[in-house]
Amino acid sequence: MIERMVAMRYLRAKKTQGGVGLIAAISFTCIMLAIAAMIIIMSIMNGFRSEMIRLTIGSEGHMYVASAAPSPSPESMIAMEQRLAAVPGVDEAYQFTQHYTGVQANGQFGLAQVIGIRPQNLRSYELISQKIVEGSLDGFGQGAGANHQIAMGQRLAASLGLSAGDRLTIFSPRTRATPFAGPMPITKTYTVGAVFEIGILQTDQTYIFMDFDQATLLFEGGKVTGEVQIRLNDADDINKLYEPISNAAEQPVFISTWKDKNASVATALRTEQIAMRFIFMIVVIIAAFPVLASMIMLVKNKSKDIAILRTIGATQGGILRIFLMSGAMIGILGTLAGLIIGILFCLNIGTVQSTIEFVCRCELFPADVYQLSSGIPAKIVWSEVAGVAFWGFLISAAATFLPAISASRVDPVDALRYE
C-alpha cells in the first residue's frame, strides 16, 4: 500500500520538481495512440482482407471435397453432402459441376465456365443473388427444352449480344454418332433468365450458372461427378475444419481449398499481415521510449527521496517495486485507453467515415471502384486485441525495468553526502 502511494505521488510530480508529471502524461498519450492505431489498422486490414477474399474467390467455394470412387452413386453423394453440411462451421455444402466449354449466340462464339448448381444454393449465395442487373433468379432451373433458364455474367452476355429472355447455345464435350457425318458434339439451347454483375472480371466474363441436374445431363450424361463444394462461416477456418470434414465424408476423398486455387493471393495476404504486424510492434516499441525517459528522469530527481526511504527501512526490493509500479501505471492506463479508443473507433467506423466524408465533401471509397457498398470494412479479431494489449504492457514494463533497477541500487550515503 505504501509503495503504491509513493509511486502515485511520484507520477503527480509538479513542474518545479522536474516536470516528471508532464513527461508521464506525454508517455501515456504515446502508448494510448500507438495501441489505438495498432488495433484500428489491424481491424481495417482484417476487414479488407475478408472483403478481398470474398471478392477474389468470387463464386467459388472455400473447400472442395471430391470422392475417390470412380463412379459414386447419387445416393452416396447425397448422403455425404448432408454429412458435410452438418459439420459445425460449415455454412453450405452442395454438389456441383464445373466445365469449360464453348457457347454461341447471335453468330458470336465464346468460351464459358458452366457451373451446375441447385437453384436454392444459388439464391442463397448473396454475391450472385444480390447483383442481378437483368431478369431474376425466380425462374432459374425451370422450364423445359430451350425454355430452361440459366444465369450468366454481364460481360459474357454483352460479348454475345445477349440480355434476359434471349437464347444461348451451349456445347458439350460429349458427342453423338451420326450415320453420315460421324461423331457430332452435343449442343443444347437455353434461355437467359438472369444476368449478374459482381465486379470480378473472371466471373462476369466467363461464368454461366445452370441447374445441377441439367448440367450433369448435358456434360456427364446423367452421372454425378462426386464433387461437393463447401462454403464456411469463416474462410480462414479451412485448416481447422480440414480433419472434421475429412472424417464427415466417411469415405476416401480428395480435399482442396481456396488457398490451393488462389495460392498467390493467399501468400500475398499472409505476407502483408506479417509485415504490418511487425511494423506496428516497432511503433509500440518507439512509443515506449518516452516511458523510459520519464522513468530515468524520475530516478534522477528522486535520488534524495530514495536515500531517505532506504535510511528509514525501505529495502531494495521495495524501491524496485515503487518505480516498477510508476512505469506500469503509465503502460497499463495507456494500453487500456488505447484499447477502448481503438475498439470504439472500429465499432463505429461507419459513423467515422460519414463524418470525414461530410467534412471533406468527398467519397472516401466509391462503391463502383472498391466494391465496398457498406463502407470501410473493419473486423475485430479479439485474439489480436489481447495480443496487442499484452505487447503494449510488456514493452512498457521492459522500458521501466532498467530505471527501476538503477533506483534500487542507489547508495543512500552517496545520495545524501552533499545534502
Side-chain angles (χ1 to χ4, degrees), residues 3 309-310 313-321 408:
E3 295 165 354
L309 288 171
R310 290 294 308 280
T315 64
Q316 284 188 334
I319 300 297
L320 177 66
R321 285 191 292 273
S408 68

Side-chain angles (χ1 to χ4, degrees), residues 9 46 114-115 191 270 295 357 381 397:
R9 187 178 182 85
N46 287 331
V114 182
I115 298 173
T191 298
R270 183 57 181 164
M295 296 310 299
E357 291 178 342
V381 179

Side-chain angles (χ1 to χ4, degrees), residues 6-24:
V6 173
M8 290 289 293
R9 187 178 182 85
Y10 282 171
L11 288 180
R12 294 196 298 266
K14 299 178 182 178
K15 185 177 181 180
T16 56
Q17 297 173 320
V20 177
L22 176 61
I23 298 179

Side-chain angles (χ1 to χ4, degrees), residues 80 83 245-252:
M80 185 174 74
R83 291 193 301 269
I245 285 176
S246 178
N247 295 333
E250 296 184 2
Q251 59 177 282

Side-chain angles (χ1 to χ4, degrees), residues 6 37 92 167 214 233 242 244 248 289 293 324 329 336 355 372 378 413:
V6 173
E92 281 187 303
R167 300 290 177 86
Q214 281 288 320
N233 295 326
Y242 194 96
F289 276 96
L324 280 177
M329 286 179 192
L336 287 176
T355 302
L372 299 174
V413 176

Side-chain angles (χ1 to χ4, degrees), residues 120-325:
Q120 64 269 25
N121 298 128
L122 183 60
R123 294 190 188 101
S124 67
Y125 188 29
E126 295 180 354
L127 187 62
I128 300 296
S129 61
Q130 294 185 0
K131 299 293 184 178
I132 303 299
V133 294
E134 289 185 46
S136 73
L137 293 177
D138 293 340
F140 177 79
Q142 300 178 10
N147 293 322
H148 190 89
Q149 294 190 22
I150 60 174
M152 64 189 305
Q154 191 274 335
R155 287 179 177 268
L156 178 59
S159 66
L160 297 173
L162 295 173
S163 58
D166 293 339
R167 300 290 177 86
L168 170 71
T169 300
I170 299 178
F171 292 79
S172 171
R174 299 169 55 240
T175 60
R176 65 162 60 93
T178 60
F180 303 106
M184 294 290 292
I186 296 175
T187 63
K188 190 175 186 305
T189 300
Y190 297 90
T191 298
V192 179
V195 177
F196 57 84
E197 183 179 16
I198 64 175
I200 303 174
L201 180 63
Q202 180 183 0
T203 304
D204 292 341
Q205 192 167 300
T206 64
Y207 275 31
I208 293 177
F209 290 97
M210 179 189 298
D211 177 67
F212 175 74
D213 293 331
Q214 281 288 320
T216 55
L217 185 64
L218 177 63
F219 294 102
E220 310 294 339
K223 298 179 181 179
V224 295
T225 59
E227 294 180 292
V228 176
Q229 181 177 135
I230 299 175
R231 302 197 65 82
L232 308 179
N233 295 326
D234 188 340
D236 290 323
D237 286 344
I238 53 177
N239 294 327
K240 183 173 67 176
L241 292 176
Y242 194 96
E243 186 174 353
I245 285 176
S246 178
N247 295 333
E250 296 184 2
Q251 59 177 282
V253 293
F254 302 103
I255 300 178
S256 60
T257 68
W258 69 266
K259 286 187 177 181
D260 298 326
K261 293 178 175 289
N262 302 274
S264 59
V265 173
T267 302
L269 290 173
R270 183 57 181 164
T271 303
E272 182 188 41
Q273 270 190 321
I274 295 172
M276 290 303 297
R277 278 151 183 74
F278 181 73
I279 291 171
F280 276 98
M281 287 172 67
I282 295 176
V283 169
V284 175
I285 293 174
I286 295 173
F289 276 96
V291 179
L292 177 63
S294 66
M295 296 310 299
I296 291 174
M297 289 189 62
L298 182 62
V299 172
K300 181 180 178 181
N301 293 337
K302 299 299 181 182
S303 58
K304 183 177 73 171
D305 293 9
I306 294 170
I308 294 172
L309 288 171
R310 290 294 308 280
T311 58
I312 63 176
T315 64
Q316 284 188 334
I319 300 297
L320 177 66
R321 285 191 292 273
I322 287 173
F323 287 91
L324 280 177
M325 285 181 187

Side-chain angles (χ1 to χ4, degrees), residues 51 54-55 127 131 197-200 204 365-375:
E51 285 296 306
R54 183 180 71 89
L55 293 175
L127 187 62
K131 299 293 184 178
E197 183 179 16
I198 64 175
I200 303 174
D204 292 341
F365 296 93
D368 57 339
V369 176
Y370 293 95
Q371 300 297 316
L372 299 174
S373 57
S374 58

